[in-house]
Amino acid sequence: MIAEVENIFTEFITQGDRTKAMAKLRVPPLGRPISPIYIFSTGLVLGLFIVSAVICIISYFSMLNKPELISSFTQLFRGSFSLMVFGFLTAINVYVWQSVGINHVLIFELNPRNQIEPIKILGFASLFGYGCTLSMLLFLHHNEFGVRDPLYFPLIGVILPLALLINPLPIMNHTARMWVLCICGRIIAAPFYPVNFVDFWLADQLNSLVLCLLDHYQLIRFYVRYYKNSDNSFDFEPDYAMSVIRCLPSWFRLAQCLKRIWDSDPKPVSYLVNAFTYGSTIITVIISTIQMETNDKYEYLFEIPWTWIYIISSIISTIYCTSWDLLQDYGLFQVWKGEHIFLRENLVYPKWFYYFAIVMDMLIRFVWALELYLIYNEFLLPYYSKTICSLFEILRRFIWNFLRLENEHLYNCGQFRATRDIYISALNSRQDLLVESIIDESRRASTVPQASMNEE
């Protein structure tokens, strides 16, 4: 059938040009061999990144006796570090999806002939990480390099990813980069465009990168003040713009949920429930902002009335979001007894991973309580406690990506949009003869009893 379709397409659609017909018909498999050029270049950049990262860690701990330099270093480079970690974890996500047979190409509606491979994502992450670690080393060792003002080196962490993303030249996966920019535009204009899976998936990633967005905003604000020689250049205290930025990712998802309700007929209740998830997050951010503004009027943290309101709203929001993760996004707790207790019937990953994901999701969702405890007892400064919580949230999203894509893939299998174990390919001549012989034997076996009955 495949050969017949190819011949008909070649004859009537491409006017006998078989090369052009095969380029239109043949779709490369998900596990196709990678070009040696990509393997070599990615391995080279990854090796350079590992070496520079090790040197950067050694340099950081060797300069702890310079508190002013270390304080500026952590303030200016935290956003780049978070984005670098997220890039490497995304490469692992895509690699595992491809390895276990989750059709992320179909889910994200990618062009199967121009899909981006995990090794290419790893190459991008390694290149960005190498640039960031080099800028960190130049910042820490600026005296050895004869640089008087090292404060411009953190700009590399802002300029490099933007240059890699918006570069208009048809190099370095131009199609994939333009696709990401298009999705970002659809997220910003969420109420005016139909919402696809990749739209709200990428918007969910932004919800886990809130602190990274805040750090980049503070970095830009710092350079504007520093260029103007302002006295408050090194003031990294939050302002009202930071509260707005904290609400933006949740607003994007809220707008997407409302848009899906508007476009659906009948109106699904699940979209409205999901909208409340992000609405509760926005309410918590607003209460947190009010609590920080009234902090100076009280001596102790728990004397502030808004602190208790913040705790109550955070508990409600956390329980609500955790329930949505486990029941809807992961699709778990469908089986209440037997071998797959608390899970579901169809599993792609090892069973232990699902229990691990359940525990980690609940613990990391409540990590804000740990942050409040550390700050109140002065075990850590607010800056470092927020850094730890941000890295935990990135880890939670990393785990979330595995199960969310798996759940969507199994739904596609249930709707016959994708298959798990069936692969269609052309048979060679030997296999064709074997199939024919098996069919002939089965036919002869079925006709022999009928003939004996007729004789009787």
Side-chain angles (χ1 to χ4, degrees), residues 435-455:
V435 171
E436 290 181 357
S437 62
I438 293 174
I439 294 174
D440 292 340
E441 290 179 1
S442 63
R443 287 176 177 175
R444 286 195 297 269
S446 62
T447 55
V448 169
Q450 184 68 29
S452 60
M453 290 178 62
N454 293 334
E455 290 177 358

Side-chain angles (χ1 to χ4, degrees), residues 39 44 111 122 125 133 147 213 274 320 341 347 374 414 426:
I39 298 176
L44 177 64
N111 185 350
L122 179 62
T133 50
V147 179
L213 298 176
N274 197 15
Y320 199 89
I341 184 172
L347 303 177
L374 294 175

Side-chain angles (χ1 to χ4, degrees), residues 197 200 253 269-271 273-274 277 320-334 344 400 403-408 411:
F197 180 90
F200 65 79
R253 286 295 288 118
V269 179
S270 60
Y271 294 159
V273 176
N274 197 15
T277 303
Y320 199 89
C321 294
T322 304
S323 302
W324 183 268
D325 285 343
L326 301 180
L327 299 177
Q328 295 295 324
D329 289 342
Y330 295 173
L332 302 180
F333 292 94
Q334 297 181 8
R344 44 180 151 77
W400 182 91
L403 296 183
R404 183 65 185 90
L405 265 289
E406 180 214 19
N407 193 24
E408 185 69 16
Y411 174 77

Side-chain angles (χ1 to χ4, degrees), residues 299-312:
E299 185 177 357
Y300 299 105
L301 179 63
F302 290 102
E303 290 181 353
I304 308 173
W306 286 101
T307 299
W308 295 102
I309 299 175
Y310 168 73
I311 292 174
I312 294 173

Side-chain angles (χ1 to χ4, degrees), residues 381-392:
L381 294 175
Y383 179 84
Y384 294 106
S385 60
K386 290 184 181 298
T387 302
I388 295 174
C389 293
S390 174
L391 294 177
F392 273 120

Side-chain angles (χ1 to χ4, degrees), residues 195-318:
V195 181
N196 299 322
F197 180 90
V198 68
D199 298 330
F200 65 79
W201 178 85
L202 188 56
D204 278 326
Q205 310 304 305
L206 294 179
N207 277 273
S208 297
L209 293 173
V210 171
L211 191 63
C212 180
L213 298 176
L214 294 176
D215 287 335
H216 281 81
Y217 163 74
Q218 286 186 312
L219 192 64
I220 296 172
R221 187 184 66 179
F222 163 77
Y223 283 115
V224 172
R225 292 174 176 177
Y226 187 72
Y227 180 77
K228 294 181 178 181
N229 294 322
S230 300
D231 296 333
N232 60 345
S233 298
F234 291 89
D235 182 9
F236 289 94
E237 292 298 320
D239 55 15
Y240 288 111
M242 294 182 64
S243 300
V244 174
I245 295 174
R246 289 173 64 191
C247 292
L248 278 180
S250 297
W251 157 249
F252 293 148
R253 286 295 288 118
L254 176 62
Q256 288 177 341
C257 294
L258 296 178
K259 177 61 176 176
R260 298 182 78 181
I261 294 173
W262 179 268
D263 292 340
S264 302
D265 190 20
K267 311 298 182 184
V269 179
S270 60
Y271 294 159
L272 184 61
V273 176
N274 197 15
F276 181 78
T277 303
Y278 300 99
S280 65
T281 304
I282 295 175
I283 294 173
T284 304
V285 171
I286 295 173
I287 296 174
S288 174
T289 303
I290 298 174
Q291 186 268 340
M292 288 189 297
E293 290 297 321
T294 58
N295 193 20
D296 297 334
K297 301 178 181 180
Y298 298 88
E299 185 177 357
Y300 299 105
L301 179 63
F302 290 102
E303 290 181 353
I304 308 173
W306 286 101
T307 299
W308 295 102
I309 299 175
Y310 168 73
I311 292 174
I312 294 173
S313 64
S314 297
I315 291 175
I316 295 174
S317 177
T318 302

